[in-house]
Amino acid sequence: SPPDARIYLDAGAAEPPTMLRNAEAMDKLLHRKGARNLHFFADPKGNHSERAWRRRLIKALRFQFGTSKRLAY
């Protein structure tokens, strides 16, 4: 991937059990592979629903397409 590529991952603690574990594993793998502009957020209240995704979307979009390399959670 290009050196300035940004990757955002998130998962909720209230999602199916494998979802958060798999997202955490992907985060670790991408770090090991050299991803530098990577943000992972484990939402302690997040579930697998549009409502939960909507809560996280604007911050994810700002990270992904904006100038911020950090998120304020």
Side-chain angles (χ1 to χ4, degrees):
S1 69
D4 60 344
R6 293 176 181 217
I7 301 168
Y8 176 88
L9 300 169
D10 71 28
E15 294 195 60
T18 56
M19 186 72 69
L20 184 55
R21 284 195 307 266
N22 289 340
E24 290 168 335
M26 179 60 76
D27 176 57
K28 290 176 185 173
L29 174 66
L30 289 169
H31 274 290
R32 282 196 311 270
K33 295 288 185 178
R36 295 292 169 247
N37 293 323
L38 172 65
H39 182 81
F40 173 68
F41 176 60
D43 185 349
K45 297 179 182 177
N47 58 24
H48 201 76
S49 71
E50 288 83 1
R51 180 177 284 204
W53 302 329
R54 183 177 60 227
R55 277 197 332 268
R56 302 187 301 253
L57 180 63
I58 193 68
K59 292 176 184 177
L61 291 173
R62 284 184 180 145
F63 173 79
Q64 193 67 37
F65 299 107
T67 58
S68 174
K69 292 188 179 186
R70 301 187 60 56
L71 295 173
Y73 276 106

